[in-house]
């Protein structure tokens, strides 16, 4: 019923930058919080950054000062600007959003994931 489509994952050298994008489409009334998570092989999925509908942000400790999350409500999109990338940032990055449906109930959805590989 709703889809989150991600783009921007790539192979990049340590110290480089990438910008991830995620756009929502489908049937919903509104989007509340949006966020980015990541998962490396054999590890739990972890929060990278989140942003509320009002623009408040929070970040995982390992990315503070390097990554910036933003959103464009008119485009139903969320972005993750990643600077000063480190090899330990290598993971599949997933977009997540909390939606309100047309009968005013909450549900969430996940993107398909996009691979970020940082070489040393």
């Amino acid at each position: 019923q709703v889809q989150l489509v991600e783009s921007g994952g790539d192979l990049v050298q340590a110290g480089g930058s990438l910008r991830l994008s995620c756009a929502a489409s489908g049937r919903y009334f509104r989007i509340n919080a949006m966020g980015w998570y990541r998962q490396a092989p054999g590890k739990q999925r972890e929060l990278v950054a989140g942003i509320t509908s009002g623009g408040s942000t929070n970040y995982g400790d390992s990315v503070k000062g390097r990554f910036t999350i933003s959103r464009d409500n008119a485009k139903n999109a969320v972005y993750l600007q990643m600077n000063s990338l480190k090899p330990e940032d290598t993971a599949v990055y997933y977009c997540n959003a909390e939606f309100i449906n047309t009968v005013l109930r909450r549900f969430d959805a996940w993107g398909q994931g996009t691979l970020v590989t940082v070489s040393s």
Side-chain angles (χ1 to χ4, degrees):
Q1 190 163 57
V2 300
Q3 295 81 230
L4 295 170
V5 180
E6 301 157 331
S7 62
D10 208 347
L11 172 65
V12 64
Q13 293 177 314
S17 297
L18 284 174
R19 189 177 194 236
L20 306 183
S21 300
C22 174
S25 62
R27 185 173 172 83
Y28 57 88
F29 176 65
R30 63 173 291 169
I31 305 173
N32 288 339
M34 305 185 80
W36 291 93
Y37 292 72
R38 68 187 182 187
Q39 188 167 25
K43 297 186 66 177
Q44 292 269 60
R45 190 172 298 186
E46 65 175 350
L47 175 69
V48 177
I51 185 166
T52 69
S53 60
S56 297
T57 60
N58 66 291
Y59 296 90
D61 288 341
S62 64
V63 307
K64 287 179 180 176
R66 299 188 297 122
F67 292 8
T68 303
I69 189 170
S70 61
R71 65 191 289 170
D72 185 337
N73 292 332
K75 296 181 178 179
N76 304 313
V78 63
Y79 308 95
L80 185 69
Q81 179 66 46
M82 304 186 294
N83 298 326
S84 302
L85 283 161
K86 303 174 180 179
E88 48 264 48
D89 295 318
T90 296
V92 177
Y93 285 70
Y94 296 91
C95 177
N96 172 259
E98 182 183 84
F99 297 85
I100 304 298
N101 68 13
T102 54
V103 294
L104 305 182
R105 297 289 187 259
R106 295 179 183 177
F107 70 99
D108 68 354
W110 293 87
Q112 79 287 352
T114 185
L115 178 63
V116 173
T117 302
V118 184
S119 62
S120 58

